[in-house]
């Protein structure tokens, strides 16, 4: 039992590390154990996971393309800038010039590829705020300082004219421009992009936990999870450790597949048998056969066979505590059948008892 549990747990753990595959595995494991509702849940989770991964990759690829095309076009437009001035251009005017280059660059990219409109709409309108605005201001200050240092080294007419060269844009100024673009793209992510990221993360961990949890009894036969000698023991350390994790995520582990045949869901024939048995008296566990034991609430054929097998190998049951210990019944099962049991050992010897 322990090796089977451990094997299923390890398979569930490592399969659970694979995005999308983990949700399919959890659904397959659950369907294999005839837990159809759980299987459908993980199947729907797999569909959501797949869709969110596709959406995430779509936005990532579009953002990567936007990053590359914007920097290339922005630098190309800067190289074409020529501003003639008789006085030193200050930081405010420099920022205005650079912002105009930015809006022209965004407009060119949107005209070339309409899919980029949602990314560069604010840049085309010159609407910056928060971190992107601060990064653009920092870039403008760096450009103005570089321009001022070059102007100071020149003399004569035209010393204050503004132009850009490739070496400056490939160096520190280019890095400042890339920092601005990084902040701009990060703060401009759409709601759908953020939603896709959240769904990818949530469905991944749901599939991981699900594959581990459903793999827990992957190699356990259905009859092994029913009351009997093969039932999971409460003192199993591996079970207790994983139960704490699983309970915190998606509820307790399935401990027992129990046919709970209460008075409400018994078929008419069984109800009649139970009424006859109640009128006749209690059922003697030490002499009853399978059919008679199955008249007890919550006792199916497998449990009845276990009781008879234990009685044949270990001797007669001495009381309810002895029955609970040897058959490994839960307290709830004991409470159901306690009042309907008799533990009188059959009398040995000859003769017959004649009742009048």
């Amino acid at each position: 039992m322990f090796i089977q549990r451990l094997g299923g747990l390890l398979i569930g753990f490592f399969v659970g590390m694979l995005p999308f595959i983990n949700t399919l595995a959890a659904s397959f494991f659950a369907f294999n154990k005839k837990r159809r509702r759980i299987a459908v849940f993980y199947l729907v989770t797999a569909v959501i996971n797949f869709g969110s991964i596709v959406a995430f990759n779509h936005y990532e690829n579009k953002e990567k393309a936007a990053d590359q095309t914007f920097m290339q076009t922005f630098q190309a437009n800067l190289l074409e800038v020529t501003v003639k001035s008789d006085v030193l251009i200050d930081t405010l005017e420099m920022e205005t010039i650079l912002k105009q280059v930015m809006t022209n660059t965004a407009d060119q990219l949107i005209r070339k590829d309409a899919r980029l409109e949602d990314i560069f709409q604010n840049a085309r309108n010159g609407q910056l705020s928060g971190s992107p605005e601060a990064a653009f201001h920092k870039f403008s200050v760096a450009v103005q300082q570089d321009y001022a240092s070059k102007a100071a080294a020149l003399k004569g007419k035209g010393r204050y004219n503004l132009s850009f060269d490739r070496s400056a844009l490939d160096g520190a100024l280019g890095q400042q421009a890339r920092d601005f673009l990084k902040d701009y793209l990060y703060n401009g992510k759409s709601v759908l992009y953020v939603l896709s990221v959240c769904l990818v993360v949530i469905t991944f961990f749901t599939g991981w936990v699900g594959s581990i949890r459903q793999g827990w009894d992957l190699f356990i036969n259905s009859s092994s999870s029913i009351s009997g000698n093969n039932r999971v023991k409460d003192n199993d350390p591996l079970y207790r450790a994983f139960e704490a994790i699983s309970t915190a995520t998606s509820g307790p582990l399935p401990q027992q597949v129990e046919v709970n045949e209460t008075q409400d869901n018994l078929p008419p024939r069984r109800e009649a048998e139970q009424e006859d048995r109640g009128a006749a008296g209690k059922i003697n566990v030490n002499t009853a056969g399978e059919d008679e034991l199955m008249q007890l609430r919550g006792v199916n054929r497998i449990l009845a066979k276990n009781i008879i097998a234990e009685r044949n190998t270990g001797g007669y049951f001495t009381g309810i505590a002895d029955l609970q210990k040897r058959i490994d019944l839960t307290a709830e099962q004991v409470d159901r059948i306690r009042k309907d049991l008799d533990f009188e050992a059959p009398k040995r010897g000859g003769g017959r008892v004649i009742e009048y």
Side-chain angles (χ1 to χ4, degrees), residues 87-298:
V87 295
L88 185 69
I89 299 175
D90 59 15
T91 303
L92 182 60
E93 187 176 358
M94 182 65 73
E95 187 168 348
T96 302
I97 295 171
L98 294 175
K99 186 169 289 187
Q100 184 61 48
V101 177
M102 177 191 69
T103 57
N104 291 341
T105 301
D107 185 66
Q108 290 176 12
L109 294 176
I110 293 174
R111 289 176 181 272
K112 186 177 180 180
D113 189 351
R115 295 176 301 174
L116 300 178
E117 183 173 4
D118 59 332
I119 297 179
F120 292 124
Q121 181 66 36
N122 291 334
R124 181 171 66 175
N125 297 333
Q127 298 175 347
L128 301 178
S129 60
S131 178
E133 183 178 23
F136 190 81
H137 178 72
K138 184 178 180 181
F139 169 61
S140 301
V141 170
V143 172
Q144 198 278 335
Q145 290 176 349
D146 181 75
Y147 156 77
S149 64
K150 290 180 179 179
L154 298 175
K155 294 181 180 180
K157 188 177 181 179
R159 60 185 294 192
Y160 296 121
N161 292 343
L162 173 65
S163 62
F164 295 90
D165 57 82
R166 173 66 66 178
S167 60
L169 295 179
D170 289 339
L173 294 183
Q175 184 59 48
Q176 294 278 2
R178 282 187 287 273
D179 290 341
F180 154 70
L181 180 61
K182 181 179 179 181
D183 282 345
Y184 177 82
L185 293 176
Y186 179 80
N187 286 272
K189 294 184 185 299
S190 65
V191 176
L192 291 178
Y193 175 84
V194 176
L195 179 62
S196 67
V197 173
C198 293
L199 287 177
V200 167
V201 174
I202 293 173
T203 53
F204 170 76
F205 282 104
T206 301
W208 195 2
V209 173
S211 63
I212 295 174
R213 186 180 178 197
Q214 301 305 320
W216 173 257
D217 55 356
L218 178 62
F219 300 113
I220 305 301
N221 295 329
S222 300
S223 60
S224 300
S225 58
I226 302 176
S227 296
N229 293 330
N230 291 329
R231 186 170 170 242
V232 178
K233 300 293 188 293
D234 292 335
N235 61 352
D236 188 337
L238 183 61
Y239 183 85
R240 292 203 315 269
F242 183 67
E243 184 183 44
I245 300 175
S246 184
T247 302
T249 54
S250 54
L253 286 168
Q255 296 183 5
Q256 181 179 356
V257 179
E258 179 180 312
V259 180
N260 185 11
E261 295 176 324
T262 60
Q263 187 71 28
D264 295 333
N265 60 19
L266 281 173
R269 183 181 62 83
R270 297 288 299 276
E271 289 181 357
E273 290 176 355
Q274 195 171 48
E275 290 176 0
D276 293 343
R277 186 258 303 162
K282 299 182 178 181
I283 291 179
N284 191 334
V285 181
N286 290 320
T287 59
E290 286 184 21
D291 293 337
E292 192 174 4
L293 288 173
M294 288 174 61
Q295 296 178 24
L296 296 168
R297 290 196 304 165

